[in-house]
Amino acid sequence: MTPVLAISAWSGTGKTTLLKKLIPALCVRGLRPGLIKHTHHNMDVDKPGKDSFELRKAGAAQTMVASSQRWALMTETPDEMPLDLNYLVSRMDHSTLDLVLVEGFKHETVPKILLFRSDAGHDACELTLDEHVIAVASDVVLPLEVPMLDLNDVDEIAEFIVKWRAI
């Protein structure tokens, strides 16, 4: 199975900002990353008025929209079951991936890099370090028992991930 690595932090810490820079840095290093982004919002990738939206709203449990550039599968989850990260990862085409990055899912039992930003409104003592935390990326030095990475040094973080993946 493709390795899974979560990038986890409190809201406003910069997960998406980091990932927008980290993904190209990993690609330059020859890795093909996939991404699963967790959101707490009711989201929809389709637009009202589009045929696919109307057909899905008509009751299709799953709707796939496909073109020569990309395809997307939308699955209705009316029972609001808790998200199952393993299931979501299993839906990805692992033949095209070297790594699955996960934004969020900080309580999942997968390897993760925690982010800490000193001006994001939290104290470093609030960090939850467990056996799944492989590093902390921070904008300040913290006295921790796990490797510390510079949150503002995307190349350092990318190199760490490449080495971790090779283990």
Side-chain angles (χ1 to χ4, degrees):
M1 183 71 97
T2 307
V4 175
L5 177 63
I7 304 296
S8 299
W10 295 289
S11 179
T13 302
K15 297 180 299 290
T16 302
T17 300
L18 174 63
L19 284 164
K20 287 190 319 191
K21 296 173 185 173
L22 184 59
I23 289 169
L26 293 170
C27 290
V28 165
R29 288 162 174 80
L31 291 181
R32 300 169 302 164
L35 177 75
I36 298 174
K37 179 176 174 42
H38 181 249
T39 182
H40 295 284
H41 308 289
N42 181 8
M43 49 75 72
D44 200 335
V45 298
D46 213 352
K47 295 180 182 176
K50 293 291 187 183
D51 291 346
S52 54
F53 181 90
E54 299 303 326
L55 292 167
R56 185 169 52 91
K57 289 301 180 184
Q62 292 190 339
T63 305
M64 184 177 290
V65 181
S67 74
S68 59
Q69 292 83 28
R70 70 189 55 85
W71 61 267
L73 174 64
M74 292 164 280
T75 302
E76 298 300 311
T77 55
D79 297 333
E80 297 184 32
M81 299 294 291
L83 288 174
D84 182 337
L85 181 58
N86 289 327
Y87 175 78
L88 296 173
V89 169
S90 76
R91 303 296 90 193
M92 300 184 93
D93 179 1
H94 293 270
S95 70
T96 66
L97 300 174
D98 298 311
L99 173 69
V100 175
L101 294 170
V102 178
E103 181 178 335
F105 291 95
K106 62 184 166 192
H107 300 295
E108 289 287 336
T109 57
V110 297
K112 60 188 67 114
I113 295 176
L114 295 183
L115 307 185
F116 179 80
R117 188 171 302 281
S118 59
D119 63 356
H122 293 274
D123 193 273
C125 66
E126 296 177 69
L127 284 172
T128 304
L129 298 176
D130 60 28
E131 68 271 20
H132 304 291
V133 175
I134 62 168
V136 172
S138 174
D139 62 346
V140 294
V141 177
L142 301 171
L144 302 173
E145 299 292 322
V146 296
M148 287 294 307
L149 306 170
D150 182 344
L151 181 57
N152 298 310
D153 189 342
V154 174
D155 288 325
E156 178 187 29
I157 297 169
E159 284 300 320
F160 178 86
I161 292 170
V162 168
K163 290 177 185 169
W164 167 80
R165 192 188 160 281
I167 296 174

